[in-house]
Amino acid sequence: MANIKSAKKRILVQAKREARNKAYRTNLKTVLKKANAAIAENAENKDALVKAAVKTIDQACAKGIIHKNCAARKKSTLAALVK
């Protein structure tokens, strides 16, 4: 355990950031799973789900949750599956 006041604060701040990042990653996985399932079933709302997934991917990339190349790869995969 840290003894210095600033180190204690860094531990608290890091825990808060980890929780926030985990929530973003979990949401991203859920949205991608829903979009992939809709594409596999050829559902009528697949375009809307893919659009939402792309938006979520872009937001995660902007917040630094995933790398920009990872975001591009995920979006490209979704676009290829829709075709």
Side-chain angles (χ1 to χ4, degrees):
M1 184 65 191
N3 293 324
I4 300 170
K5 186 177 180 181
S6 62
K8 290 178 183 178
K9 181 179 178 182
R10 296 307 314 159
I11 291 170
L12 294 175
V13 170
Q14 186 59 30
K16 193 185 299 185
R17 291 179 72 180
E18 283 177 11
R20 187 181 312 129
N21 288 342
K22 184 173 182 175
Y24 283 130
R25 277 194 298 271
T26 303
N27 183 37
L28 179 64
K29 287 180 187 178
T30 303
V31 170
L32 286 173
K33 197 180 291 186
K34 286 181 182 178
N36 285 328
I39 291 169
E41 295 172 358
N42 201 11
E44 63 224 20
N45 63 344
K46 70 179 178 182
D47 291 331
L49 290 173
V50 169
K51 187 175 179 182
V54 168
K55 181 178 179 181
T56 306
I57 291 168
D58 286 336
Q59 287 174 339
C61 180
K63 292 182 183 295
I65 307 301
I66 59 175
H67 193 269
K68 65 178 184 175
N69 290 350
C70 180
R73 187 175 64 244
K74 289 181 186 300
K75 291 192 293 188
S76 175
T77 303
L78 276 176
L81 289 174
V82 170
K83 288 186 179 180

